[in-house]
Amino acid sequence: MRAFSIQMFGLKIKNTWVRDGLSEILATFILSIFVYASGALFTLSRGTSSSVMGRALASACGTTLAIYSGFNASGSCLNPGIALMFCLLDKIRWKKYPLYVVCEFIGAFLAACVTYSVYLEAFQKFDGGMRQIYGENATANIFTSIPADGFSKSSGFLEILVGAALLAGIVAAIIDANNAGPASGVLPIPMTLLLYAIAMTFSLQTGGAINANIDLGGRTFVAIAGWGPEVFSIGDYWFWVPPAGNIAGGIVGTFVYQLMVGQHLPQPYDTTIDPVKINVDIEGTKYKENSTELSIVNGKTNLSYIHEI
């Protein structure tokens, strides 16, 4: 008797737009739920069950797990700044960028809903049912960034820009087949160290809000779940600063890496192919790609970032 399989019901999706969208929703959901839930554990226990370091490590580990979840589908960008980096490097088509951004927002929003549902009784016990943005019983910061007192928007923007630029630039270096170029199965692992390092160095003023959709998705949830629309006007309409810093950082980090390193690297055994649709059979698996580069590395065929159209 044939083993039970979802594919038996004809549910396998071949449309790459739908597949990539679902992949990005799931991957961003996984990352976001670790971010939100680690914040809930820290805040709702008043720091007794976790710590700032614990919260940062949980979020960083969540990034690695999220990347694995959709790596061979959408690529698990998880972040508008990283999706932008992939577009700038011609690894994702520009016309798909809005799909990635919208699906990442959906994933983050759903993660906020699930986290809130799991910890609903803890929220009730913590604040007595009065959801607060300020004060000792404030909980909005579990889901979104609240600017620290005494810091300007320009200072916060710079902190986010630097963090997002480090993220985009280092990811660009890691995925560059002519630079670090680790095996695809290993590639997500350095993300834990990278995100933890950024969280522990550039988060004093903004909480490390280097992911626009986690910040905006959580902020939207907070606005409609009881905290009120003030979460958008707080800090003299602070809400636009994290998305702006995230996008600017993605651009800056990508261009700095390409300017300083990426575009100068030698490309041995490289055979350039006209940008037309090609079919390549690698170890019995067929891939279809609108690719511009096919290279032979160490005697093996290498297609960097294979992605179906």
Side-chain angles (χ1 to χ4, degrees):
M1 182 177 178
R2 186 177 177 183
F4 176 82
S5 171
I6 292 179
Q7 291 186 20
M8 291 175 61
F9 296 96
L11 296 179
K12 185 173 182 178
I13 297 172
K14 296 183 178 180
N15 184 292
T16 58
W17 284 73
V18 177
R19 187 191 65 191
D20 290 352
L22 292 175
S23 169
E24 205 63 18
I25 289 173
L26 176 62
T28 308
F29 174 88
I30 293 172
L31 166 60
S32 301
I33 204 164
F34 279 102
V35 173
Y36 297 146
S38 62
L41 180 64
F42 174 73
T43 300
L44 299 178
S45 69
R46 300 190 187 276
T48 60
S49 296
S50 184
S51 63
V52 173
M53 293 178 64
R55 184 177 183 179
L57 183 59
S59 299
C61 291
T63 300
T64 298
L65 300 175
I67 294 173
Y68 276 122
S69 70
F71 188 73
N72 280 333
S74 65
S76 296
C77 292
L78 311 173
N79 183 320
I82 296 301
L84 180 61
M85 179 269 292
F86 275 101
C87 289
L88 290 169
L89 296 177
D90 293 326
K91 296 182 182 296
I92 292 178
R93 290 179 177 82
W94 281 100
K95 64 183 180 181
K96 276 193 172 183
Y97 184 69
L99 172 71
Y100 276 68
V101 173
V102 170
C103 290
E104 288 162 6
F105 176 86
I106 293 172
F109 183 84
L110 292 175
C113 294
V114 172
T115 302
Y116 183 68
S117 298
V118 170
Y119 281 109
L120 181 58
E121 290 186 1
F123 275 98
Q124 294 293 107
K125 183 178 179 180
F126 185 85
D127 60 16
M130 298 294 293
R131 303 292 177 258
Q132 299 174 38
I133 301 174
Y134 314 96
E136 62 179 11
N137 291 331
T139 48
N141 62 330
I142 291 173
F143 299 102
T144 192
S145 64
I146 304 297
D149 292 336
F151 294 103
S152 65
K153 283 191 290 188
S154 60
S155 181
F157 173 82
L158 182 60
E159 180 178 274
I160 295 171
L161 185 150
V162 171
L166 285 169
L167 177 63
I170 295 172
V171 170
I174 291 173
I175 67 171
D176 190 341
N178 297 310
N179 193 8
S184 60
V186 177
L187 193 150
I189 296 176
M191 298 300 105
T192 297
L193 299 175
L194 174 58
L195 267 295
Y196 182 74
I198 293 174
M200 295 306 297
T201 50
F202 293 99
S203 61
L204 175 64
Q205 304 169 81
T206 65
I210 60 173
N211 189 318
N213 273 328
I214 289 181
D215 190 79
L216 191 57
R219 193 178 301 275
T220 303
F221 171 79
V222 166
I224 65 178
W227 286 263
E230 186 184 359
V231 73
F232 280 96
S233 60
I234 187 175
D236 190 24
Y237 295 92
W238 160 265
F239 79 93
W240 65 266
V241 175
N246 179 209
I247 297 302
I251 295 171
V252 170
T254 304
F255 273 101
V256 168
Y257 170 72
Q258 285 297 101
L259 180 65
M260 303 296 290
V261 177
Q263 66 183 13
H264 311 299
L265 293 173
Q267 300 181 28
Y269 311 112
D270 179 77
T271 302
T272 301
I273 298 176
D274 291 333
V276 295
K277 293 179 182 178
I278 60 174
N279 288 313
V280 182
D281 188 33
I282 303 176
E283 296 182 354
T285 303
K286 201 162 195 176
Y287 297 90
K288 187 178 183 181
E289 170 63 349
N290 187 6
S291 176
T292 58
E293 290 187 352
L294 176 66
S295 59
I296 306 298
V297 179
N298 295 327
K300 294 184 178 180
T301 304
N302 176 49
L303 253 177
S304 60
Y305 198 76
I306 296 169
H307 195 276
E308 288 187 10
I309 58 173

PDB file of all heavy atoms in Angstrom, residues 79 82 85 162-172 191 194-195 198 210 246:
ATOM      1  N   ASN A  79      13.542  39.384   5.027  1.00  0.00           N
ATOM      2  CA  ASN A  79      13.799  40.778   5.361  1.00  0.00           C
ATOM      3  C   ASN A  79      13.783  41.605   4.068  1.00  0.00           C
ATOM      4  O   ASN A  79      14.468  41.246   3.105  1.00  0.00           O
ATOM      5  CB  ASN A  79      15.179  40.851   6.043  1.00  0.00           C
ATOM      6  CG  ASN A  79      15.559  42.217   6.515  1.00  0.00           C
ATOM      7  OD1 ASN A  79      15.311  43.216   5.858  1.00  0.00           O
ATOM      8  ND2 ASN A  79      16.203  42.277   7.673  1.00  0.00           N
ATOM      9  N   ILE A  82      17.225  42.365   2.761  1.00  0.00           N
ATOM     10  CA  ILE A  82      17.938  41.234   2.165  1.00  0.00           C
ATOM     11  C   ILE A  82      17.346  40.886   0.807  1.00  0.00           C
ATOM     12  O   ILE A  82      18.080  40.574  -0.143  1.00  0.00           O
ATOM     13  CB  ILE A  82      17.901  40.014   3.105  1.00  0.00           C
ATOM     14  CG1 ILE A  82      18.646  40.340   4.403  1.00  0.00           C
ATOM     15  CG2 ILE A  82      18.526  38.801   2.436  1.00  0.00           C
ATOM     16  CD1 ILE A  82      20.095  40.735   4.218  1.00  0.00           C
ATOM     17  N   MET A  85      18.796  43.242  -1.493  1.00  0.00           N
ATOM     18  CA  MET A  85      20.172  42.869  -1.794  1.00  0.00           C
ATOM     19  C   MET A  85      20.221  41.805  -2.897  1.00  0.00           C
ATOM     20  O   MET A  85      21.013  41.901  -3.833  1.00  0.00           O
ATOM     21  CB  MET A  85      20.862  42.350  -0.529  1.00  0.00           C
ATOM     22  CG  MET A  85      22.303  41.896  -0.712  1.00  0.00           C
ATOM     23  SD  MET A  85      22.444  40.124  -1.101  1.00  0.00           S
ATOM     24  CE  MET A  85      21.928  39.379   0.420  1.00  0.00           C
ATOM     25  N   VAL A 162      23.207  51.188   9.984  1.00  0.00           N
ATOM     26  CA  VAL A 162      24.483  50.491  10.147  1.00  0.00           C
ATOM     27  C   VAL A 162      24.251  48.995  10.373  1.00  0.00           C
ATOM     28  O   VAL A 162      24.911  48.145   9.766  1.00  0.00           O
ATOM     29  CB  VAL A 162      25.292  51.099  11.309  1.00  0.00           C
ATOM     30  CG1 VAL A 162      26.509  50.233  11.630  1.00  0.00           C
ATOM     31  CG2 VAL A 162      25.725  52.519  10.969  1.00  0.00           C
ATOM     32  N   GLY A 163      23.287  48.661  11.239  1.00  0.00           N
ATOM     33  CA  GLY A 163      22.995  47.248  11.484  1.00  0.00           C
ATOM     34  C   GLY A 163      22.514  46.535  10.232  1.00  0.00           C
ATOM     35  O   GLY A 163      22.953  45.423   9.923  1.00  0.00           O
ATOM     36  N   ALA A 164      21.598  47.177   9.482  1.00  0.00           N
ATOM     37  CA  ALA A 164      21.068  46.574   8.261  1.00  0.00           C
ATOM     38  C   ALA A 164      22.136  46.480   7.180  1.00  0.00           C
ATOM     39  O   ALA A 164      22.160  45.523   6.391  1.00  0.00           O
ATOM     40  CB  ALA A 164      19.871  47.380   7.757  1.00  0.00           C
ATOM     41  N   ALA A 165      23.029  47.467   7.114  1.00  0.00           N
ATOM     42  CA  ALA A 165      24.116  47.435   6.135  1.00  0.00           C
ATOM     43  C   ALA A 165      25.097  46.302   6.444  1.00  0.00           C
ATOM     44  O   ALA A 165      25.570  45.607   5.537  1.00  0.00           O
ATOM     45  CB  ALA A 165      24.848  48.775   6.113  1.00  0.00           C
ATOM     46  N   LEU A 166      25.416  46.116   7.716  1.00  0.00           N
ATOM     47  CA  LEU A 166      26.275  44.997   8.100  1.00  0.00           C
ATOM     48  C   LEU A 166      25.625  43.678   7.713  1.00  0.00           C
ATOM     49  O   LEU A 166      26.288  42.772   7.184  1.00  0.00           O
ATOM     50  CB  LEU A 166      26.544  45.032   9.606  1.00  0.00           C
ATOM     51  CG  LEU A 166      27.527  46.090  10.096  1.00  0.00           C
ATOM     52  CD1 LEU A 166      27.487  46.181  11.616  1.00  0.00           C
ATOM     53  CD2 LEU A 166      28.941  45.769   9.628  1.00  0.00           C
ATOM     54  N   LEU A 167      24.334  43.565   7.964  1.00  0.00           N
ATOM     55  CA  LEU A 167      23.615  42.336   7.628  1.00  0.00           C
ATOM     56  C   LEU A 167      23.672  42.067   6.127  1.00  0.00           C
ATOM     57  O   LEU A 167      24.073  40.980   5.689  1.00  0.00           O
ATOM     58  CB  LEU A 167      22.163  42.446   8.090  1.00  0.00           C
ATOM     59  CG  LEU A 167      21.250  41.269   7.743  1.00  0.00           C
ATOM     60  CD1 LEU A 167      21.732  39.997   8.433  1.00  0.00           C
ATOM     61  CD2 LEU A 167      19.802  41.576   8.139  1.00  0.00           C
ATOM     62  N   ALA A 168      23.293  43.049   5.313  1.00  0.00           N
ATOM     63  CA  ALA A 168      23.252  42.864   3.863  1.00  0.00           C
ATOM     64  C   ALA A 168      24.642  42.628   3.281  1.00  0.00           C
ATOM     65  O   ALA A 168      24.838  41.733   2.442  1.00  0.00           O
ATOM     66  CB  ALA A 168      22.602  44.076   3.197  1.00  0.00           C
ATOM     67  N   GLY A 169      25.618  43.411   3.727  1.00  0.00           N
ATOM     68  CA  GLY A 169      26.967  43.283   3.188  1.00  0.00           C
ATOM     69  C   GLY A 169      27.611  41.956   3.520  1.00  0.00           C
ATOM     70  O   GLY A 169      28.252  41.331   2.659  1.00  0.00           O
ATOM     71  N   ILE A 170      27.432  41.493   4.747  1.00  0.00           N
ATOM     72  CA  ILE A 170      28.049  40.224   5.147  1.00  0.00           C
ATOM     73  C   ILE A 170      27.334  39.046   4.491  1.00  0.00           C
ATOM     74  O   ILE A 170      27.975  38.072   4.075  1.00  0.00           O
ATOM     75  CB  ILE A 170      28.073  40.093   6.677  1.00  0.00           C
ATOM     76  CG1 ILE A 170      28.989  41.172   7.267  1.00  0.00           C
ATOM     77  CG2 ILE A 170      28.544  38.711   7.096  1.00  0.00           C
ATOM     78  CD1 ILE A 170      28.948  41.266   8.778  1.00  0.00           C
ATOM     79  N   VAL A 171      26.007  39.122   4.375  1.00  0.00           N
ATOM     80  CA  VAL A 171      25.275  38.066   3.669  1.00  0.00           C
ATOM     81  C   VAL A 171      25.723  38.008   2.207  1.00  0.00           C
ATOM     82  O   VAL A 171      25.922  36.931   1.642  1.00  0.00           O
ATOM     83  CB  VAL A 171      23.754  38.277   3.761  1.00  0.00           C
ATOM     84  CG1 VAL A 171      23.024  37.329   2.819  1.00  0.00           C
ATOM     85  CG2 VAL A 171      23.274  38.067   5.187  1.00  0.00           C
ATOM     86  N   ALA A 172      25.905  39.172   1.582  1.00  0.00           N
ATOM     87  CA  ALA A 172      26.387  39.210   0.200  1.00  0.00           C
ATOM     88  C   ALA A 172      27.750  38.534   0.080  1.00  0.00           C
ATOM     89  O   ALA A 172      28.021  37.815  -0.894  1.00  0.00           O
ATOM     90  CB  ALA A 172      26.463  40.652  -0.296  1.00  0.00           C
ATOM     91  N   MET A 191      24.458  32.703   9.979  1.00  0.00           N
ATOM     92  CA  MET A 191      23.461  33.737  10.264  1.00  0.00           C
ATOM     93  C   MET A 191      23.189  33.876  11.752  1.00  0.00           C
ATOM     94  O   MET A 191      22.865  34.963  12.237  1.00  0.00           O
ATOM     95  CB  MET A 191      22.144  33.427   9.529  1.00  0.00           C
ATOM     96  CG  MET A 191      22.252  33.410   8.005  1.00  0.00           C
ATOM     97  SD  MET A 191      22.797  34.986   7.326  1.00  0.00           S
ATOM     98  CE  MET A 191      24.493  34.577   6.903  1.00  0.00           C
ATOM     99  N   LEU A 194      25.947  36.062  13.017  1.00  0.00           N
ATOM    100  CA  LEU A 194      25.804  37.411  12.469  1.00  0.00           C
ATOM    101  C   LEU A 194      24.682  38.175  13.153  1.00  0.00           C
ATOM    102  O   LEU A 194      24.876  39.315  13.600  1.00  0.00           O
ATOM    103  CB  LEU A 194      25.541  37.320  10.957  1.00  0.00           C
ATOM    104  CG  LEU A 194      25.214  38.631  10.240  1.00  0.00           C
ATOM    105  CD1 LEU A 194      26.335  39.643  10.423  1.00  0.00           C
ATOM    106  CD2 LEU A 194      24.968  38.363   8.759  1.00  0.00           C
ATOM    107  N   LEU A 195      23.500  37.570  13.260  1.00  0.00           N
ATOM    108  CA  LEU A 195      22.370  38.272  13.876  1.00  0.00           C
ATOM    109  C   LEU A 195      22.590  38.506  15.366  1.00  0.00           C
ATOM    110  O   LEU A 195      22.219  39.559  15.897  1.00  0.00           O
ATOM    111  CB  LEU A 195      21.083  37.477  13.660  1.00  0.00           C
ATOM    112  CG  LEU A 195      20.258  37.839  12.428  1.00  0.00           C
ATOM    113  CD1 LEU A 195      19.714  39.258  12.543  1.00  0.00           C
ATOM    114  CD2 LEU A 195      21.046  37.689  11.146  1.00  0.00           C
ATOM    115  N   ILE A 198      25.000  41.478  15.696  1.00  0.00           N
ATOM    116  CA  ILE A 198      24.348  42.769  15.423  1.00  0.00           C
ATOM    117  C   ILE A 198      23.421  43.154  16.576  1.00  0.00           C
ATOM    118  O   ILE A 198      23.396  44.308  17.012  1.00  0.00           O
ATOM    119  CB  ILE A 198      23.574  42.707  14.093  1.00  0.00           C
ATOM    120  CG1 ILE A 198      24.548  42.557  12.921  1.00  0.00           C
ATOM    121  CG2 ILE A 198      22.726  43.963  13.901  1.00  0.00           C
ATOM    122  CD1 ILE A 198      23.879  42.342  11.577  1.00  0.00           C
ATOM    123  N   ILE A 210      16.198  45.937  12.641  1.00  0.00           N
ATOM    124  CA  ILE A 210      16.788  45.921  11.302  1.00  0.00           C
ATOM    125  C   ILE A 210      15.952  45.130  10.305  1.00  0.00           C
ATOM    126  O   ILE A 210      16.372  44.931   9.164  1.00  0.00           O
ATOM    127  CB  ILE A 210      18.226  45.360  11.335  1.00  0.00           C
ATOM    128  CG1 ILE A 210      18.236  43.933  11.881  1.00  0.00           C
ATOM    129  CG2 ILE A 210      19.132  46.261  12.155  1.00  0.00           C
ATOM    130  CD1 ILE A 210      19.590  43.256  11.792  1.00  0.00           C
ATOM    131  N   ASN A 246      16.135  50.139   7.271  1.00  0.00           N
ATOM    132  CA  ASN A 246      16.317  48.792   6.753  1.00  0.00           C
ATOM    133  C   ASN A 246      16.615  48.807   5.249  1.00  0.00           C
ATOM    134  O   ASN A 246      17.563  48.161   4.777  1.00  0.00           O
ATOM    135  CB  ASN A 246      15.055  47.985   7.044  1.00  0.00           C
ATOM    136  CG  ASN A 246      15.105  46.558   6.526  1.00  0.00           C
ATOM    137  OD1 ASN A 246      14.086  45.977   6.199  1.00  0.00           O
ATOM    138  ND2 ASN A 246      16.292  45.969   6.457  1.00  0.00           N
TER     139      ASN A 246
END
